Amino acid sequence: MIWEFKQQLYVSQRRVALNTVADLSNPAVRRQIQDFIAGQEAFPDPDSPEEYAVLFEAVYPSEADRRTYIDAKISGAKPSFGHVALATLMKAGHTKLVWTTNFDPLVADGCAKVFGGTGNLTTVALDAPGIGRETINGERWPAEIKLHGDFRSRRLKNTGDELRQQDATLRDLLVGTCTRSGLVIAGYSGRDESIMNTLEEALEHASPFPSGIFWLHRGEGDPLDRVSSFLSAASEKGVDGGLVRVENFDESLRDLVRLIPDLDTTQLDEFASERSVVSAPPRISGKRGYPVIRLNALEVKSLPTICRRVECNIGGYKEVAEAVSAAGVDVLATRSAKGVLAFGSDSDVRAALANVSITEFDLHEIETRRLRYDSQERGLLKQAISRALAREHGLTIKHHRSVDSLKPADVTDERWAPLKRVVGSLSGSVPAQADLTWQEGVIVRLEWADDKLWLVFEPRTLLEGVTEENRAAATDFSRERSVRRYNRPLNELVSFWGDLLSAEGRELRALNVRTGVNASFTLGTTTAFSNRSRL
């Protein structure tokens, strides 16, 4: 919708024909439109929290016009596999309450297919927030609460002013439920200040999100800064969950349904079987080769199954990191609802937490299911595998929230000669930017796919000293170094880092300790790749 708004503004203000910018899938068309939008002071930056509301109000200043637009968008919409899967979970009691910012009736339509009607579902909109309180207090499940209104309701929230103040009753209800249960957020960017305020208010309670908070995020890009800050704050309070990167809503629900035993999926299976196949890919003929896409990932063949767990009187992740640093010990640690989780010698772990009243010192099983998402355990393993790679290969680490950047500690070391033959120089300063330096390196993170844990690595030119003033120069420089890395050079680059990081399948140990709990890994020696499907 945001690109449609930009397109309409471009056409109306430039007074050009729509067909000149009709193809919004064309990157050149998008750049043309965005260049125009960027030149207008009235419009916010791309992906800013207020972008949607400002553009919508600019295109349709009248509430009636906005309603007409929404009606037209909703007309003819049908529930997807994800909506029917969600309704299946609601019928089984796994999902009792759905909060939505959407105006459409697709959740109700999904329930109609699964329940055989909408009589079982209670839908609450802005017109009658009191019903929401009665529904929750009376536990009349399943229920759907529309935070921005219903498409049939007069009260719709769309513009900045409308979105800024969430209905007080619904806001209180959302805060209350967030202190009693977990929350899965899907298909929501976190742009609305009112809803983010509500989630942050819930986080201030003593035991928020007792069953965790999981934010499903599409694509490789980062979420909005406010979402990242919110999840970091939740993690520091020991709330389970975090950011979960997904393909899309339908695929996420498909995976979730598969994990629940004894779930009645009769209506869901019927719905899936009715979906028509628009076109089928051509079968590959001949016997020579098959399509392969090489991926920048190595399978984690073995990983730690236990770590140390310490119950003590300490705050969140920040306080744990400060305690470890102050003690001057080599310990990798994080904070979870079950206590401080750590790798290191027992004496070092006790020394780090000596001043925070240790009440229990035990082992903690790292469950495989908790590695499927950005849990505290997966974050701890990310710390550990980065440390192990740095020890093995002479790299320095810079930690970020979900990724780490690694770069050679000594670029003159002979081990980096093959990398130099691929990319040229390995370090230097950006021309005309004396304080902006760069070095070749790699970004690593852990991802779950195909029921396995993978080390995903991205060769990068890493920059130091980036500020708001030199950010454009840094971006241009980084782009110039990478723009010609395609096909053969990129394949050679992936080969170099894949071969190096895998260490020929040797055991990689995070710490140099002989007692306590260490973290050791082995990586596959072949990068992931696509294969010909077996028919």
Side-chain angles (χ1 to χ4, degrees):
M1 288 170 64
I2 286 178
W3 277 107
E4 288 184 10
F5 298 153
K6 291 180 179 179
Q7 181 190 51
Q8 292 180 56
L9 289 168
Y10 181 87
V11 169
S12 62
Q13 297 188 16
R14 294 291 303 273
R15 297 182 179 178
V16 298
L18 177 61
N19 59 13
T20 60
V21 288
D23 185 7
L24 289 176
S25 65
N26 187 331
V29 171
R30 288 198 175 204
R31 280 197 299 272
Q32 182 179 350
I33 294 174
Q34 185 56 48
D35 287 345
F36 168 75
I37 295 295
Q40 312 299 307
E41 294 184 357
F43 302 130
D45 294 333
D47 297 327
S48 65
E50 63 272 18
E51 185 181 26
Y52 164 82
V54 171
L55 292 171
F56 199 178
E57 192 166 20
V59 178
Y60 300 104
S62 161
E63 179 190 343
D65 290 341
R66 292 195 292 274
R67 178 186 305 282
T68 300
Y69 175 82
I70 293 294
D71 286 348
K73 296 293 290 185
I74 292 174
S75 176
K78 296 180 180 179
S80 68
F81 181 92
H83 293 106
V84 180
L86 177 60
T88 301
L89 296 175
M90 296 169 80
K91 185 177 183 180
H94 292 295
T95 302
K96 296 177 179 178
L97 178 58
V98 173
W99 300 86
T100 178
T101 58
N102 293 337
F103 312 113
D104 59 58
L106 296 180
V107 172
D109 289 349
C111 286
K113 290 183 177 295
V114 174
F115 287 84
T118 56
N120 298 77
L121 177 70
T122 301
T123 299
V124 180
L126 291 170
D127 299 288
I131 296 177
R133 187 180 301 282
E134 295 172 6
T135 299
I136 293 174
N137 291 341
E139 298 188 350
R140 287 157 42 191
W141 316 125
E144 175 196 22
I145 297 183
K146 296 190 166 189
L147 293 166
H148 288 175
D150 187 278
F151 79 105
R152 290 160 295 212
S153 166
R154 184 183 177 280
R155 297 182 67 186
L156 290 174
K157 287 176 178 283
N158 276 299
T159 68
D161 289 340
E162 292 164 352
L163 291 170
R164 204 159 287 124
Q165 293 300 324
Q166 201 64 42
D167 183 277
T169 302
L170 297 185
R171 178 190 176 102
D172 290 344
L173 291 174
L174 178 53
V175 170
T177 54
C178 287
T179 62
R180 297 191 297 273
S181 60
L183 186 65
V184 178
I185 299 176
Y188 176 64
S189 64
R191 292 176 187 274
D192 308 331
E193 185 176 357
S194 59
I195 291 180
M196 291 306 299
N197 285 342
T198 304
L199 295 176
E200 289 162 357
E201 181 181 336
L203 199 57
E204 294 174 358
H205 285 247
S207 301
F209 307 103
S211 297
I213 182 161
F214 302 83
W215 198 299
L216 309 189
H217 179 69
R218 291 182 62 180
E220 294 296 318
D222 294 328
L224 295 179
D225 290 343
R226 192 164 182 185
V227 174
S228 297
S229 299
F230 169 72
L231 293 176
S232 295
S235 178
E236 290 193 1
K237 289 203 71 168
V239 177
D240 192 12
L243 193 75
V244 183
R245 294 186 182 274
V246 300
E247 190 68 23
N248 54 50
F249 177 62
D250 288 355
E251 292 299 325
S252 305
L253 268 292
R254 184 192 300 278
D255 291 342
L256 190 58
V257 166
R258 285 172 176 162
L259 294 173
I260 300 176
D262 303 324
L263 184 67
D264 182 3
T265 59
T266 304
Q267 286 80 16
L268 184 62
D269 295 339
E270 290 179 0
F271 176 81
S273 66
E274 292 171 357
R275 291 190 300 176
S276 61
V277 177
V278 178
S279 63
R283 287 195 176 193
I284 300 167
S285 59
K287 298 181 180 179
R288 298 181 58 187
Y290 51 86
V292 170
I293 299 174
R294 189 177 195 184
L295 305 175
N296 53 324
L298 294 167
E299 182 183 350
V300 181
K301 291 283 190 180
S302 68
L303 67 160
T305 56
I306 59 169
C307 63
R308 185 61 70 189
R309 179 180 63 82
V310 185
E311 290 190 19
C312 56
N313 184 24
I314 197 169
Y317 173 80
K318 180 181 177 183
E319 286 73 20
V320 172
E322 290 174 349
V324 171
S325 177
V329 292
D330 198 10
V331 168
L332 302 173
T334 190
R335 184 72 162 96
S336 79
K338 296 180 179 178
V340 174
L341 307 181
F343 292 114
S345 73
D346 289 351
S347 58
D348 284 350
V349 174
R350 287 184 181 277
L353 304 174
N355 299 323
V356 287
S357 305
I358 296 175
T359 57
E360 189 170 343
F361 197 85
D362 204 347
L363 295 174
H364 174 74
E365 180 185 357
I366 300 175
E367 299 177 79
T368 301
R369 66 178 182 83
R370 294 180 58 78
L371 303 182
R372 296 174 180 273
Y373 57 90
D374 196 10
S375 62
Q376 278 83 1
E377 284 88 341
R378 198 167 90 177
L380 180 62
L381 292 187
K382 191 259 297 181
Q383 281 189 60
I385 199 168
S386 293
R387 175 68 73 84
L389 292 170
R391 289 186 68 231
E392 175 73 18
H393 304 299
L395 297 160
T396 60
I397 309 172
K398 186 172 184 178
H399 295 292
H400 308 275
R401 187 178 184 280
S402 58
V403 303
D404 287 340
S405 58
L406 304 172
K407 59 185 180 183
D410 178 7
V411 295
T412 64
D413 191 302
E414 190 59 27
R415 78 178 78 187
W416 306 113
L419 177 61
K420 190 173 183 179
R421 284 196 288 272
V422 177
V423 301
S425 300
L426 299 183
S427 64
S429 299
V430 176
Q433 302 288 336
D435 297 330
L436 190 57
T437 61
W438 63 273
Q439 190 172 332
E440 281 299 313
V442 66
I443 301 288
V444 298
R445 67 176 186 273
L446 293 175
E447 290 283 344
W448 185 269
D450 195 26
D451 269 345
K452 300 170 186 173
L453 193 64
W454 299 84
L455 176 75
V456 180
F457 59 95
E458 300 176 27
R460 289 272 187 90
T461 299
L462 305 172
L463 292 118
E464 289 288 342
V466 178
T467 63
E468 286 302 319
E469 290 72 26
N470 63 24
R471 187 175 299 280
T475 302
D476 290 343
F477 179 80
S478 182
R479 183 171 54 244
E480 283 300 313
R481 279 193 63 83
S482 61
V483 70
R484 294 183 179 84
R485 293 177 183 175
Y486 45 79
N487 297 338
R488 181 173 296 178
L490 185 56
N491 186 52
E492 292 174 350
L493 198 52
V494 170
S495 291
F496 170 79
W497 282 109
D499 292 343
L500 180 90
L501 298 177
S502 69
E504 299 179 330
R506 295 192 301 276
E507 182 184 37
L508 303 169
R509 298 169 68 86
L511 302 169
N512 183 26
V513 297
R514 295 183 180 276
T515 61
V517 184
N518 203 344
S520 64
F521 305 83
T522 58
L523 297 173
T525 56
T526 303
T527 54
F529 57 89
S530 69
N531 204 341
R532 185 175 183 174
S533 63
R534 294 175 172 80
L535 302 175

